Amino acid sequence: MEKLVIIGAGSWGSGLARIIGDNGYEIMMYDINQKQVDEINQFHTNRAKLPVGVLNESVRATSNLKEAIAFGAIVVLVVPTAVIRSILYEINAVIRTPKLFVNASKGLEPNTFKRVSEIVEEEISPAFVKGFVALSGPSHAEEVILQMLTLVTAASKQSEYAELIQRIFSNQSYFRVYTTNDLVGVELCGALKNVIALASGIVTGLGYGDNTKAALITRGLVEIKRLALVLGANEATVYGLAGLGDLVVTCMSNHSRNYQAGLKIGSGKNLEQTLSEMTMVVEGARTAIAAHQIIQRYEIYAPIMETVYDIIYLKHDPREAILELMKSSLKPE
Ligand SMILES: NC(=O)c1ccc[n+]([C@@H]2O[C@H](COP(=O)([O-])OP(=O)(O)OC[C@H]3O[C@@H](n4cnc5c(N)ncnc54)[C@H](O)[C@@H]3O)[C@@H](O)[C@H]2O)c1
């Protein structure tokens, strides 16, 4: 039976550990935070990152990267995308056998627009990369750890690896994995939806209601589609679990950090205050930069994403910026 290494023992790393622990696999979690590592080993909990639920007693954690990487043939990345390149660089120094890399983090690198699969290709010697799978979809750790029914997608250019991850992570009680070959689409949708989630939080923070949020999700999906198609995604992915599915949950759920961060910004806080009050990563803030650069480079019409960028980086007033969207020229849907 495969052994899995989870890089990042945070909220989602713990959710994923719960699933594969329930499914009977051996797991080693790695994190730089020694307190979290000790708590997982001693109490099988991770209260600072995931206040609800418990991990299986068999799940172990370490802060020693070499020990972690040596443990298993499947390496699951679940750290903020801002640190993925540096962690992969460290992994490349200690890796001794080929691994299947699985990414569950959601973000795009500013300036390069690189997806995590491309960063893995750049940072890990080809001899040590068996394959790459992106695991993505509407899946908040707070619900997964309580075994609430959740459906996601495993994407890989190599079907056998997407199917392997599908088998390992699926169970018949609460977690079901679909597969696709559209790696580009799944990675892009997972990253870009966080920018729209920030907008959803902002409009809610401004006091707008469900009509506004529904409009935002619908028009936000159109913008995600425009960017994703230009960068090579399949249209069907946009309407699947990793696209529409994840967009809906992240724009509607109180568990979404991006939505929560947007709420604070809509209520008048700036990005720095907002991020300092968050205990978990807000990927949308970083991806908003990459999205803005992609929009500029390819001359894409994406006014919601641009408004998010203007509010958080150019310090535009949130209410005025959102109302500006209402003044754009009238057009067919
Ligand atoms: N939380 C969720 O429900 C959820 C669901 C799906 C996807 N995601 C994605 O998963 C990724 C992680 O999110 P999260 O919510 O688990 O974040 P988190 O903040 O809860 O956890 C991140 C973990 O990474 C660790 N870390 C940071 N820098 C590190 C380094 N240099 N070396 C080793 N460990 C390091 C932190 O100590 C922390 O434990 C994000 O991209 C997020 O979008 C999260």
Side-chain angles (χ1 to χ4, degrees):
M1 216 173 197
E2 289 82 359
K3 290 181 171 181
L4 291 97
V5 182
I6 296 184
I7 303 294
S11 178
W12 190 217
S14 301
L16 291 171
R18 174 78 218 202
I19 303 161
I20 36 190
D22 282 349
N23 293 356
Y25 292 88
E26 279 186 66
I27 303 151
M28 176 70 78
M29 302 180 83
Y30 163 79
D31 206 283
I32 38 164
N33 187 324
Q34 189 64 46
K35 244 175 104 180
Q36 276 167 234
V37 166
D38 292 342
E39 187 186 331
I40 290 168
N41 286 329
Q42 285 171 33
F43 304 109
H44 318 294
T45 57
N46 191 358
R47 293 284 174 235
K49 290 293 186 183
L50 197 48
V52 292
V54 287
L55 293 165
N56 306 73
E57 291 192 7
S58 60
V59 174
R60 283 177 287 152
T62 179
S63 54
N64 180 324
L65 186 60
K66 192 171 177 188
E67 179 194 357
I69 293 298
F71 179 82
I74 300 178
V75 176
V76 185
L77 304 168
V78 208
V79 285
T81 48
V83 301
I84 275 196
R85 195 178 276 283
S86 64
I87 290 189
L88 287 168
Y89 180 81
E90 291 172 39
I91 290 176
N92 196 47
V94 296
I95 195 166
R96 298 287 174 264
T97 53
K99 313 279 180 190
L100 175 61
F101 284 84
V102 179
N103 177 50
S105 301
K106 294 170 179 170
L108 277 181
E109 192 171 63
N111 305 319
T112 67
F113 320 150
K114 292 270 157 84
R115 295 170 278 108
V116 174
S117 60
E118 297 174 295
I119 303 176
V120 168
E121 257 176 42
E122 286 179 0
E123 298 297 336
I124 306 287
S125 308
F128 295 128
V129 184
K130 246 198 226 169
F132 183 92
V133 180
L135 191 66
S136 195
S139 50
H140 283 138
E142 291 82 352
E143 296 185 5
V144 166
I145 197 131
L146 297 178
Q147 302 174 315
M148 295 191 183
L149 308 190
T150 301
L151 278 61
V152 301
T153 299
S156 180
K157 289 178 186 163
Q158 296 145 295
S159 303
E160 74 263 33
Y161 290 132
E163 285 160 15
L164 175 67
I165 292 307
Q166 178 181 47
R167 280 198 300 281
I168 291 175
F169 282 81
S170 290
N171 54 46
Q172 293 183 349
S173 50
Y174 69 92
F175 203 77
R176 184 172 167 82
V177 183
Y178 289 78
T179 60
T180 174
N181 289 328
D182 186 16
L183 177 63
V184 174
V186 166
E187 289 190 283
L188 288 172
C189 286
L192 293 170
K193 57 93 191 177
N194 284 331
V195 183
I196 305 298
L198 279 169
S200 178
I202 291 171
V203 296
T204 310
L206 288 170
Y208 295 113
D210 293 343
N211 294 353
T212 317
K213 236 190 275 185
L216 198 72
I217 291 171
T218 312
R219 298 307 303 165
L221 190 70
V222 173
E223 295 191 12
I224 291 173
K225 184 171 96 176
R226 287 186 187 135
L227 271 72
L229 294 192
V230 163
L231 297 174
N234 296 340
E235 188 168 353
T237 304
V238 176
Y239 300 110
L241 289 164
L244 176 61
D246 210 357
L247 178 67
V248 169
V249 83
T250 204
C251 287
M252 302 292 292
S253 171
N254 281 327
H255 296 314
S256 165
R257 288 107 197 124
N258 294 283
Y259 174 75
Q260 290 294 345
L263 269 181
K264 289 177 192 287
I265 292 166
S267 314
K269 293 187 175 159
N270 64 30
L271 182 64
E272 292 69 33
Q273 287 170 302
T274 298
L275 295 184
S276 72
E277 290 173 14
M278 304 290 297
T279 54
M280 279 165 278
V281 60
V282 180
E283 290 278 14
R286 187 166 178 266
T287 297
I289 302 174
H292 169 70
Q293 293 168 336
I294 293 166
I295 290 163
Q296 298 291 316
R297 161 125 18 128
Y298 296 98
E299 297 180 2
I300 301 167
Y301 183 60
I304 300 170
M305 291 194 202
E306 286 294 70
T307 298
V308 170
Y309 180 87
D310 290 348
I311 292 171
I312 61 180
Y313 292 111
L314 304 184
K315 314 281 184 212
H316 286 196
D317 176 75
R319 188 174 299 280
E320 282 172 21
I322 295 291
L323 284 175
E324 212 44 51
L325 285 169
M326 295 298 285
K327 296 180 194 157
S328 69
S329 63
L330 297 174
K331 43 186 94 63
E333 190 177 9

